[in-house]
Amino acid sequence: MSEITDFDALRRAMAENGEQPEGPARNARAEHLLAEAEKLDVPLAVIEALGHQLKVYNYSSEKAKMFVPFARLLRMWDERPKDFDEYETHSLHWVFKWMSAGMLDQPHVPLASVEKWLGEMEHRYRLAGHSERAVRSAEFSVATHVGDVARAERAFTAWLAADRDAMADCHACELHGQGWWQAERGRDEEALRLWAPVLDGEYACAHEPHTVLASSLVPLLRLDRVDDARANHLRGFRLVRPMESMRGAYADHVEFCALTGNEARALELLAERPAYFTDDGHPRSKLEFLSVVALVMERLAERGLGGQRVPGPAGREWTADELAAHACAEALALAGRFDERNGTPHVSERARARMTQRPLVERLPLGVRAVRPPAAVPVPVPRPSAPREAAEPAPSDLGTLLAEARRLSDTLQPDAVEAWTAVARAAESADGVELDLRDRAEIADHEAIALGPQGAETFERAAELYAAAGDPGEALAARARGAYVRALAGEDVEEALAAVAGPYDDVLALYAEGGTEVRQAAGVLMARARILMRRLHEADGPLAETVLAEAEAAARELLALVGGRTGDDVRLTARVAEGHAMLGELATHSGNAEAGAELYARAAADFAGAGLPWFAVEYEARLAGLAHHLGDMEEAERALRAALEHGGPYLEPAGRAQLHLQLAEVVGGRGEAEEAAEHALEAAHWADEAGESPTFGAWARHQLGGYLVRQGRWAEAAEVLESALADLSAETHGDGAVVQTQWWLGDCLSELGEHRDAAERRLRAAEIARHWPEQHDHATLAHLAAESLGQAGLHDEADRAYERAGDLWRGLGNVHGLVRSLRARAWLALRADNGTGAAHALMTSAVEECADALGVTDDEEERLRLVAELGHTHRQFGDLLARSAAEDADDDSIRDALEGALSQMAEAVAVFCALDGDAVHARTGAELAAGWLESDLGRPEAAAARARAVLRAYTTPEDEWESETEDGGDDGEEAGTVRARRAEAEQLLQVALEQEDR
């Protein structure tokens, strides 16, 4: 900590402290600086130190400390106003608003004192000649706080009617307050209209758009604009997270999570800020926070998770139920203190309403990982085939259940197994009712289906019952199904084939004799074909031709049996569809992807045509994969969309996630980043639901982040990519995915102005890419990291990173990268003490590298690129020399620097001229820079000549520039460049003519 010896040192120290993160450490430093200021015996130093103290208190959780330094400042103003300079006079009056809000937020300050202070503020503003706008805004805050709607509306109208002056809050803050009132009165659309300029970045300040983003969340949900709400949450929380003073806005984000089924993320947010549970410096925001904590805990309790461990006040462990009671009691106690002070029940009513809100969206995927805890209280899902609740179903009820179960199984409906289970339960509880053998056989059959690979013995029992019921064909089919599930259970496939051999021979003989129907025979043949297909699925290496041939023969035998005999029998239609699917799989295994795709498409169409779309999903997914492999992206997209549509509510979360992820990649591949992001978002959500967050959930977030980057949604992308990195690993996803995610995240952080963190991400990615055989990515990342380090003010580190990147570019033979790294190093050197010589040498090296490369290339396209690079290097060299002319240098030194700069600009113009019309903007930019240098050197005729040259370059009408762009870029931007160049040239010409006249 440097010693404070004079006023300048104090100011530097306060400026440095102002850049530190909000919190007690910064506040303590401000207190120390005030003590140091008092030692200087300079009244303005004390005034500025008190102002600094006020500012850091206001932007922290210790707002209650503001009153003492402000009272001292006000006393100093009343005693010796001449000690205040213009800035501190303005600041003193500005802080009146902070005091007004600060008193309102402290329940121990009497309302009479608040009203008295409001009058004092109005009086002092009038004396200083300020508008009453800020006063009426403060009055509006008082009225809304106590629930006086009539007074609030009057103050609101007066606030907007008063003139804006130097004491008015910034546009962003005013629009926040105005929009908040509209939302409070139920006018959400109007609130969002008022907030739009802040949300769009037109207005901003230290706390905006932070608070507008937070305040917009619930209104957006109420308007069912869930996509905007999600985006504002991701954007806004990123802004609020590092700011200790924004507990109220932080609470809005936690509330949003509680109202959208994201309780798990709400818990993560609460865990990030343990001090928010107990900080007492700002009671009003503590009340808001605790009210939202109670809301989250009640949501967990409703899901049967009241006993779950949750983050809470330090010093003990908390369950959701315990924290709900604690937070509710604390919040209502605080609200009661405000109400006692205000003489109204308004604050308590608002707190209770907030704590008891109902979800506005059952489940809103956010894209970041926060797996929803499973509900301990099961939510019953009604089934159309479920029996009505009755203690002892009557026989007629059992008959109805039987008929419904048989209808569902005959038409292969997804609920058939559950329907037969209901029949079994009803039969057990019905006195004096005896099911016949056929009914019992079907119950056993479906019980076996429900058991899956463990159902072999139950299938055998079903077969015995079918045989006893006089249906030998169905008995053989049940035994065949039992053989198949043995293969599924991991038994040897050959043993399963042996088990099905008997039923196979018997059913064919029985069918030939007319002793059974096609359906039963097809059931046996299908089981045998499925067992033969298991050989493919369990093979570790290449398959013998006989394996493929036997499976194909079995599938074709099935199709030959059933073909033309399906009629209206859905089961037989399904056999045909599955047979085609088997042939499709066999064709694919044999290397005939085209035939495989055709057969899968046929199978899917058969299932969908039979009213069994849920069976089509598997084959549409396979078809999509084959179409992708064959380069038919249109068919791949169609198949994936059909799979999602046909799967409907029957798709398992994992399957739904995979389909959405594949569709995201296909749609994103044709440039539709917005829709691709929607599918990646769905994929991430369903992967989390499936318990696959660390695997393809992380991959989905990786993809989602990339699509958001493509759209320039930097803050949202950063949140998603950081979440993805928590699970991405080189072992599971490949180091390429890790590098790309870090790369994208670095781009996001750079765009958001977080340059130090951007550099860290880019350096991490570069470290991984350093080990790759191909080094282009390594070089690019090193270069980008250097840019971020430079923008973060870490110039020495940036220079080393650029040097490393330059070595890599040289090793790759990439002259453009090498030249750009040299130019960047030159600019860094210029900032260093006595760095002009080094900067000159580096720019000279950049020019020489371009010239050397031009001397050896025989590729015309590369030659043109190198010429352009040389022109830009001369242009930057000129700019650098012009800036190197120190203001305190002697006239000769300045003139020499400007002459050198002009020489480089002239070289740039000549080089760009060689490119004809392909570099007209680059040429005119260099021409104008040279013209201004000519003017500075006292050569008006030469400056005028250069201005006229620029005007001649743009004799083409503007509308032609708008339609014929130089590089396919934005037409409006192109025309804007032309207008700007013309305007600057005319200005230069005017200056030159005036110089000539002197």
Side-chain angles (χ1 to χ4, degrees):
M1 188 179 293
S2 57
E3 185 180 357
I4 306 301
T5 57
D6 54 39
F7 199 176
D8 287 340
L10 175 69
R11 284 174 164 165
R12 286 194 299 272
M14 290 190 295
E16 291 171 3
N17 193 46
E19 296 299 318
Q20 298 304 306
E22 295 178 354
R26 187 170 73 157
N27 295 354
R29 175 65 171 154
E31 292 161 6
H32 171 77
L33 291 175
L34 174 60
E36 292 294 308
E38 290 167 339
K39 298 175 185 177
L40 297 178
D41 197 25
V42 177
L44 185 58
V46 176
I47 291 168
E48 290 189 12
L50 285 166
H52 174 65
Q53 195 177 78
L54 272 169
K55 184 175 182 179
V56 299
Y57 283 156
N58 185 59
Y59 293 109
S60 78
S61 62
E62 297 181 305
K63 294 178 187 287
K65 290 185 175 182
M66 289 192 299
F67 301 114
V68 172
F70 183 73
R72 184 177 173 186
L73 266 178
L74 196 58
R75 185 171 64 253
M76 292 175 72
W77 167 262
D78 288 338
E79 293 172 355
R80 292 179 58 86
K82 292 183 179 180
D83 288 344
F84 288 71
D85 62 14
E86 182 179 354
Y87 178 81
E88 292 303 327
T89 299
H90 174 274
S91 296
L92 176 71
H93 286 82
W94 182 268
V95 174
F96 265 90
K97 299 182 295 182
W98 294 357
M99 294 302 106
S100 176
M103 289 180 177
L104 202 61
D105 295 339
Q106 303 289 335
H108 69 275
V109 178
L111 190 62
S113 297
V114 177
E115 295 284 7
K116 180 181 177 182
W117 182 257
L118 191 60
E120 178 75 9
M121 178 181 173
E122 184 172 10
H123 171 68
R124 293 202 180 239
Y125 272 37
R126 188 180 299 114
L127 287 178
H130 296 308
S131 162
E132 66 171 12
R133 190 177 182 94
V135 178
R136 298 285 77 81
S137 174
E139 182 187 5
F140 166 77
S141 298
V142 173
T144 58
H145 176 64
V146 301
D148 188 340
V149 175
R151 183 186 182 190
E153 290 284 14
R154 290 194 302 272
F156 185 81
T157 302
W159 168 22
L160 270 60
D163 293 335
R164 278 189 57 82
D165 67 350
M167 284 299 111
D169 283 341
C170 74
H171 281 288
C173 288
E174 283 208 329
L175 289 172
H176 173 246
Q178 293 162 19
W180 174 86
W181 181 239
Q182 299 300 334
E184 189 74 7
R185 303 299 293 158
R187 299 185 283 263
D188 291 334
E189 291 280 9
E190 177 63 12
L192 289 162
R193 186 191 68 78
L194 287 165
W195 287 331
V198 184
L199 294 172
D200 294 341
E202 185 177 343
Y203 301 121
C205 68
H207 276 181
E208 296 297 352
H210 313 45
T211 56
V212 165
L213 285 164
S215 295
S216 72
L217 298 174
V218 170
L220 285 168
L221 291 175
R222 288 196 294 247
L223 292 171
D224 198 30
R225 291 172 54 180
V226 294
D227 291 338
D228 291 333
R230 177 197 301 112
N232 285 6
H233 168 62
L234 295 177
R235 283 177 59 200
F237 183 69
R238 187 169 194 83
L239 294 173
V240 168
R241 177 187 277 140
M243 302 185 72
E244 184 204 39
S245 63
M246 302 199 71
R247 178 163 54 181
Y250 199 100
D252 290 341
H253 286 280
V254 178
E255 176 185 48
F256 165 81
C257 294
L259 298 179
T260 57
N262 286 287
E263 298 91 350
R265 179 161 171 84
L267 294 178
E268 290 180 1
L269 269 54
L270 294 178
E272 285 189 29
R273 283 292 188 180
Y276 277 174
F277 288 97
T278 53
D279 280 347
D280 293 320
H282 191 242
R284 192 170 180 179
S285 69
K286 184 179 182 182
L287 165 60
E288 294 167 350
F289 183 77
L290 289 174
S291 297
V292 167
V293 170
L295 170 66
V296 175
M297 298 309 132
E298 287 299 330
R299 291 287 300 130
L300 289 173
E302 286 180 14
R303 294 177 57 78
L305 299 169
Q308 177 176 318
R309 294 290 181 191
V310 294
R316 56 161 289 187
E317 291 186 339
W318 296 86
T319 66
D321 284 339
E322 292 167 344
L323 187 56
H326 170 81
C328 181
E330 287 277 305
L332 291 177
L334 265 175
R337 289 173 57 199
F338 279 108
D339 286 343
E340 183 179 1
R341 186 270 302 270
N342 299 338
T344 71
H346 182 66
V347 175
S348 293
E349 289 171 354
R350 283 178 55 82
R352 288 191 179 91
R354 195 168 199 183
M355 289 188 284
T356 57
Q357 291 177 95
R358 304 305 306 156
L360 294 171
V361 179
E362 177 58 28
R363 180 66 160 128
L364 177 62
L366 300 179
V368 292
R369 183 187 181 190
V371 183
R372 191 180 198 183
V377 176
V379 179
V381 179
R383 300 274 187 175
S385 59
R388 71 173 187 266
E389 293 185 10
E392 296 181 0
S396 59
D397 294 326
L398 182 58
T400 301
L401 292 176
L402 267 169
E404 178 64 4
R406 194 160 284 128
R407 182 189 70 79
L408 292 172
S409 58
D410 284 346
T411 54
L412 298 178
Q413 298 301 304
D415 294 339
V417 170
E418 289 85 346
W420 282 103
T421 301
V423 170
R425 285 199 302 265
E428 288 175 4
S429 60
D431 293 336
V433 176
E434 183 72 27
L435 291 173
D436 63 30
L437 289 170
R438 176 73 189 196
D439 296 337
R440 290 161 55 199
E442 290 188 75
I443 290 173
D445 205 355
H446 286 86
E447 182 184 342
I449 292 171
L451 291 171
Q454 284 71 49
E457 292 183 4
T458 309
F459 274 126
E460 191 62 36
R461 178 159 55 85
E464 293 172 358
L465 289 167
Y466 279 126
D471 192 343
E474 201 62 64
L476 292 170
R479 288 197 172 91
R481 289 191 283 274
Y484 172 57
V485 298
R486 286 190 178 91
L488 286 180
E491 293 186 20
D492 187 85
V493 172
E494 300 308 319
E495 292 182 9
L497 278 175
V500 82
Y504 169 72
D505 291 337
D506 292 346
V507 84
L508 289 179
L510 189 64
Y511 178 68
E513 297 169 357
T516 192
E517 298 178 359
V518 173
R519 179 191 284 189
Q520 288 74 27
V524 177
L525 267 59
M526 176 56 75
R528 180 171 177 272
R530 287 173 176 171
I531 293 170
L532 287 167
M533 292 295 292
R534 291 297 301 171
R535 287 174 166 177
L536 276 70
H537 304 153
E538 295 182 1
D540 292 330
L543 292 167
E545 286 295 326
T546 55
V547 171
L548 296 173
E550 288 179 12
E552 181 178 352
R556 292 195 182 280
E557 182 182 19
L558 170 68
L559 291 172
L561 172 71
V562 180
R565 299 180 178 85
T566 58
D568 295 331
D569 192 327
V570 172
R571 289 196 182 197
L572 291 178
T573 302
R575 299 298 190 204
V576 172
E578 189 173 350
H580 287 134
M582 287 177 174
L583 292 177
E585 186 174 357
L586 290 164
T588 304
H589 269 284
S590 300
N592 191 346
E594 292 85 353
E598 183 179 339
L599 286 160
Y600 282 143
R602 183 172 178 180
D606 287 347
F607 278 124
L612 305 171
W614 45 87
F615 286 122
V617 173
E618 177 183 353
Y619 307 111
E620 285 162 338
R622 294 187 189 184
L623 171 59
L626 285 178
H628 195 292
H629 172 72
L630 294 168
D632 189 349
M633 306 312 293
E634 186 175 336
E635 175 65 3
E637 183 176 342
R638 185 208 63 76
L640 288 167
R641 291 188 188 280
L644 282 168
E645 179 186 351
H646 289 154
Y650 305 108
L651 268 175
E652 293 293 326
R656 190 179 296 276
Q658 290 170 332
L659 289 171
H660 274 296
L661 186 53
Q662 292 174 57
L663 189 53
E665 292 173 354
V666 171
V667 173
R670 59 177 170 83
E672 299 292 334
E674 188 171 350
E675 184 185 352
E678 292 172 4
H679 288 295
L681 176 68
E682 288 293 324
H685 162 63
W686 289 109
D688 289 344
E689 293 290 309
E692 295 288 350
S693 292
T695 53
F696 57 82
W699 180 256
R701 274 181 271 280
H702 159 81
Q703 296 281 46
L704 172 58
Y707 296 130
L708 292 172
V709 166
R710 284 198 209 175
Q711 298 173 68
R713 294 160 65 178
W714 309 111
E716 297 168 64
E719 285 292 302
V720 170
L721 292 168
E722 286 174 347
S723 181
L725 282 170
D727 289 319
L728 280 174
S729 68
E731 295 75 20
T732 302
H733 306 94
D735 54 7
V738 178
V739 167
Q740 183 62 80
T741 304
Q742 295 278 20
W743 193 329
W744 280 331
L745 182 53
D747 292 347
C748 293
L749 297 172
S750 179
E751 292 288 342
L752 295 169
E754 301 174 32
H755 299 300
R756 190 182 291 262
D757 290 339
E760 180 182 349
R761 295 298 181 178
R762 288 166 167 175
L763 287 169
R764 287 185 186 180
E767 181 59 26
I768 299 173
R770 182 171 68 87
H771 303 285
W772 292 355
E774 209 291 314
Q775 288 289 284
H776 185 273
D777 285 344
H778 182 200
T780 303
L781 285 161
H783 200 113
L784 290 171
E787 287 182 6
S788 294
L789 289 165
Q791 290 169 320
L794 303 172
H795 297 152
D796 291 342
E797 293 87 342
D799 181 70
R800 289 194 293 272
Y802 275 125
E803 185 176 16
R804 174 188 177 191
D807 291 340
L808 290 166
W809 291 128
R810 188 186 299 278
L812 289 165
N814 188 316
V815 178
H816 304 280
L818 172 58
V819 167
R820 290 168 189 176
S821 66
L822 288 168
R823 293 198 307 238
R825 292 184 66 200
W827 285 107
L828 287 170
L830 187 64
R831 296 187 180 98
D833 294 337
N834 302 317
T836 304
H840 190 286
L842 286 162
M843 276 294 185
T844 301
S845 295
V847 171
E848 291 171 350
E849 292 289 348
C850 285
D852 291 346
L854 276 167
V856 298
T857 186
D858 54 4
D859 182 285
E860 181 60 17
E861 184 178 341
E862 175 60 13
R863 188 190 72 79
L864 292 174
R865 288 184 64 222
L866 285 168
V867 169
E869 198 73 78
L870 179 60
H872 289 300
T873 304
H874 280 302
R875 168 65 198 269
Q876 287 201 31
F877 203 165
D879 287 335
L880 182 141
L881 290 171
R883 295 190 193 182
S884 69
E887 292 182 2
D888 58 352
D890 59 74
D891 291 346
D892 288 342
S893 296
I894 293 174
R895 188 172 189 84
D896 288 345
L898 295 181
E899 290 283 9
L902 179 59
S903 174
Q904 291 295 331
M905 289 299 179
E907 289 283 355
V909 172
V911 170
F912 288 133
C913 282
L915 293 172
D916 298 324
D918 292 337
V920 62
H921 296 329
R923 174 169 66 84
T924 56
E927 193 87 72
L928 286 167
W932 290 112
L933 288 167
E934 300 276 20
S935 176
D936 290 341
L937 287 165
R939 300 168 186 164
E941 291 183 2
R946 292 191 181 277
R948 292 189 180 100
V950 172
L951 292 171
R952 285 196 301 274
Y954 294 121
T955 55
T956 304
E958 275 185 28
D959 57 353
E960 292 186 30
W961 282 100
E962 291 176 358
S963 60
E964 297 179 13
T965 65
E966 177 180 318
D967 57 1
D970 183 88
D971 293 355
E973 183 179 339
E974 184 81 3
T977 301
V978 174
R979 285 192 292 271
R981 288 282 197 273
R982 284 175 175 167
E984 188 178 352
E986 288 167 354
Q987 182 187 9
L988 174 60
L989 182 59
Q990 182 65 33
V991 170
L993 292 175
E994 290 174 358
Q995 279 184 306
E996 287 181 11
D997 291 341
R998 292 194 195 119

